[in-house]
Amino acid sequence: MITTESNTRPKEIKKVTLGDGDVSLNEIIAVARYDAEVLFSQDYDDRVNLSRSVIEKFLEEERVIYGVTTGFGSNVTQNISAEDAETLQKNIIRSHAVSVGAPLEKEVVRAIQFMILVNLGIGFSGVKLATLELLRSLLNHQITPFAPGEGSVGYLSPEAHMALVLMGEGKAWYNGELIPGSEALEKAGLQPVTLGCKEGLALTSGTTSVTAFASLALYNSIQVTKTADIAGALSLEALKGTIKAFDPRTHEVKRHVEQAGTARNLVKMLQGSEIAEKYQDYRLQDALSLRCIPQAHGAVKKVLKDAEFTICNEINSSSDNPLIITENQGDALMGGNFDGTYVGIYADTMAIAMANLAKVSERRLDRLVNYHVSELPNFLVAKPGLNSGYMIPQYTAAGLLNEIRVLAHPATVDNTPTCASQEDVVSFAYFAAKKAYQIAKKLENILGLELMAAVQALDFHRPLKPSPVSQKVYELIRSAVPTVEEDRYFYPDIEFITNLINEGEILNAVELIMGKLDW
């Protein structure tokens, strides 16, 4: 078993041991975002060493194996001598490090590095343990390779930039400074490795960058969707909405457990609310952005559940090519496990789901600041006209929603053949996963804006008290975001609330009161 429980919050996981069981989503986040230490079990070491011994045997037998004794891609017809094997591996790293644009964020690079360790440690890749130990040391010594993040069709280029550092080349951040890779290793007391046959290919191939992006996107999406239930409850309360739309009898006749669970969440969160109690019969029924929270949020949750199943399967699968089989006399299976279509399609689907959640949140935000429908002061400020209040935050949400809608276009439906048409079908799963990650972060901002406005709206209901759950969220936000009496600089307020969402603090505070939200 893994040394840490999968339901432990990522920031509480200090060590992750690879090799004795499946890796959980929370463990990936622990390493990528919170710098948890990575360890190898004895089983991990044994599998890697056995796989490497088979590769060495193949070399002695002079077997023809793709990427070991042949060139890459359409160069598969070119035989490579044993003497040139090391040069071949260096060349693949150098020639493939051609992604462009801004460098990937630290947590993304760390997630990819971690996924490489997971993938190659399953025991079907034939790499040397020393190479993986150095890669682990980069993570544990906070060495972050410089890896431009644009121009990948599914894998290869960003991974190649990272692998350069293992060879003492490329660039990396160490102690906040971007320096040559060789210098970063030296300062950390590490030595570069000489890549042997198969290793350059193994370090660049596979679905590692796709699963890394998808894992970060999935974790953020699950967390933000749970937080959306909380934001929806506060908005409904502030807008005098009726909780009658969440009567369990309504949701029992619709065969979606996520819908019924969301309705239960809202009822539980609004228990004890003087505001909800007073206004439960105020309207016959509310606008769809309030009345249909269970249906809209529930559908998103179903997508994320399906995505989690598929992405976690991919995380714990071997996506290398060729695969080194150690049983009997050993074998090398040349196939296509590097293809990222499984994850790519679900990343595209997550993007569409997040776009749907974003449009509902933005509509609730608009209702909060729009006095024509809110029955609250215009833009939630006591002296509108002189003050713009929360007028422009809704513009920000509208702009973010536009960006999300564009990014929600599926990437995996596209195709541009590469490698002289040897690779005539390309998954484009890399960008599918990358944009899902981008969308989840933009959605955090939209939910943050909704929560900021909802908390302000509750101020106008005094002396009526909100529910204990709403009061806790109110206090958490008001610890740094005071009530708006007149216009001020709102950016720090927005950043504070968005960070609470990203760190799971709002969700954790609510669950400490009412227990785990239905999911």
Side-chain angles (χ1 to χ4, degrees):
M1 296 293 293
I2 297 294
T3 56
T4 49
E5 295 296 330
S6 61
N7 60 357
T8 303
R9 294 182 72 196
K11 63 171 57 179
E12 297 169 356
I13 298 173
K14 303 305 179 185
K15 295 182 179 182
V16 176
T17 301
L18 295 179
D20 294 340
D22 284 352
V23 174
S24 73
L25 185 62
N26 281 4
E27 289 170 327
I28 296 172
I29 304 303
V31 173
R33 184 171 297 170
Y34 299 110
D35 301 334
E37 182 183 5
V38 180
L39 305 171
F40 295 162
S41 71
Q42 187 61 53
D43 284 346
Y44 183 100
D45 292 354
D46 291 344
R47 288 200 300 267
V48 171
N49 287 330
L50 177 60
S51 180
R52 184 63 193 177
S53 70
V54 174
I55 278 284
E56 299 291 349
K57 175 176 173 288
F58 290 167
L59 280 178
E60 294 174 3
E61 296 171 350
E62 298 183 350
R63 289 201 196 185
V64 178
I65 301 171
Y66 172 75
V68 177
T69 56
T70 75
F72 305 110
S74 64
N75 285 330
V76 66
T77 58
Q78 305 297 315
N79 292 328
I80 306 296
S81 68
E83 293 77 19
D84 289 332
E86 289 184 1
T87 300
L88 177 68
Q89 302 308 310
K90 282 184 181 179
N91 286 348
I92 188 175
I93 299 300
R94 291 168 175 165
S95 66
H96 285 48
V98 293
S99 53
V100 297
L104 295 173
E105 299 172 51
K106 177 185 174 182
E107 72 171 14
V108 175
V109 174
R110 289 181 61 84
I112 295 172
Q113 290 176 298
F114 183 65
M115 287 313 309
I116 293 172
L117 290 177
V118 173
N119 182 44
L120 301 188
I122 294 175
F124 295 100
S125 296
V127 297
K128 292 180 294 190
L129 183 59
T131 301
L132 300 184
E133 286 177 335
L134 179 58
L135 180 54
R136 179 184 63 175
S137 293
L138 296 190
L139 287 168
N140 292 342
H141 285 81
Q142 304 294 312
I143 298 174
T144 305
F146 171 88
E150 298 177 13
S152 175
V153 298
Y155 52 96
L156 298 176
S157 297
E159 292 93 335
H161 279 278
M162 298 176 201
L164 283 172
V165 178
L166 299 175
M167 297 162 47
E169 301 178 16
K171 295 185 291 184
W173 279 274
Y174 185 66
N175 289 336
E177 184 182 7
L178 183 61
I179 56 179
S182 58
E183 187 177 338
L185 292 178
E186 183 179 356
K187 287 188 174 184
L190 303 172
Q191 295 292 323
V193 293
T194 299
L195 298 180
C197 65
K198 179 69 166 60
E199 293 193 287
L201 177 61
L203 287 167
T204 55
S205 189
T207 62
T208 49
S209 59
V210 174
T211 51
F213 262 125
S215 297
L216 293 167
L218 177 63
Y219 178 83
N220 290 349
S221 297
I222 291 173
Q223 190 161 257
V224 79
T225 302
K226 291 179 180 179
T227 307
D229 284 2
I230 300 168
L234 265 71
S235 293
L236 181 107
E237 195 174 18
L239 290 167
K240 306 176 183 177
T242 175
I243 60 172
K244 289 186 175 181
F246 313 125
D247 188 312
R249 293 172 294 180
T250 299
H251 306 285
E252 286 171 359
V253 298
K254 196 83 176 264
R255 296 187 179 184
H256 299 301
V257 296
E258 299 82 11
Q259 175 181 324
T262 303
R264 284 193 296 272
N265 287 342
L266 290 163
V267 171
K268 289 179 182 178
M269 284 188 281
L270 292 174
Q271 283 178 351
S273 169
E274 293 179 359
I275 302 169
E277 178 67 23
K278 178 177 180 179
Y279 293 108
Q280 64 176 323
D281 295 313
Y282 187 69
R283 297 187 191 94
L284 186 63
Q285 59 182 17
D286 292 306
L288 297 183
S289 59
L290 300 175
R291 189 188 350 149
C292 291
I293 289 173
Q295 291 83 355
H297 290 202
V300 173
K301 292 173 185 177
K302 180 61 167 68
V303 168
L304 296 181
K305 284 182 180 180
D306 293 344
E308 183 176 20
F309 178 82
T310 298
I311 291 168
C312 288
N313 272 347
E314 186 70 35
I315 288 167
N316 292 290
S317 299
S318 180
S319 62
D320 206 354
N321 180 54
L323 294 170
I324 307 305
I325 306 301
T326 58
E327 287 85 0
N328 301 321
Q329 299 300 311
D331 202 354
L333 303 180
M334 284 152 273
N337 276 5
F338 52 81
D339 181 83
T341 303
Y342 272 102
V343 176
I345 287 175
Y346 272 100
D348 275 337
T349 309
M350 282 197 298
I352 293 169
M354 290 297 100
N356 276 272
L357 194 58
K359 76 180 184 184
V360 176
S361 176
E362 185 278 329
R363 285 295 81 201
R364 291 195 298 257
L365 169 59
D366 179 74
R367 298 191 77 82
L368 286 164
V369 302
N370 183 350
Y371 76 97
H372 294 290
V373 294
S374 71
E375 302 179 17
L376 295 165
N378 203 9
F379 304 117
L380 299 176
V381 67
K383 297 179 181 179
L386 178 63
N387 294 290
S388 294
Y390 283 152
M391 176 195 297
I392 305 303
Q394 187 269 331
Y395 286 43
T396 302
L400 289 167
L401 181 57
N402 174 256
E403 294 175 17
I404 288 173
R405 284 170 172 156
V406 172
L407 288 171
H409 176 81
T412 54
V413 298
D414 197 6
N415 188 51
T416 303
T418 58
C419 202
S421 286
Q422 173 74 0
E423 297 167 0
D424 56 344
V425 178
V426 176
S427 72
F428 288 108
Y430 176 88
F431 187 56
K434 181 181 178 182
K435 64 189 182 65
Y437 175 68
Q438 294 170 336
I439 286 173
K441 293 203 294 183
K442 294 177 190 295
L443 180 55
E444 288 175 346
N445 278 286
I446 292 176
L447 260 295
L449 292 165
E450 181 187 354
L451 282 166
M452 183 174 72
V455 164
Q456 178 78 4
L458 289 175
D459 281 328
F460 294 102
H461 284 281
R462 293 175 179 167
L464 292 177
K465 295 180 180 179
S467 74
V469 167
S470 297
Q471 181 63 29
K472 183 62 179 178
V473 176
Y474 179 95
E475 293 169 358
L476 189 58
I477 291 174
R478 283 283 178 259
S479 68
V481 180
T483 298
V484 178
E485 303 290 351
E486 57 185 18
D487 286 347
R488 63 169 185 263
Y489 181 39
F490 291 131
Y491 177 79
D493 299 347
I494 298 168
E495 284 292 287
F496 174 77
I497 299 171
T498 300
N499 188 62
L500 289 178
I501 295 172
N502 182 262
E503 291 291 318
E505 296 303 328
I506 291 175
L507 176 60
N508 187 54
V510 168
E511 291 189 329
L512 285 175
I513 296 175
M514 59 172 282
K516 293 291 184 182
L517 271 68
D518 276 304
W519 172 249

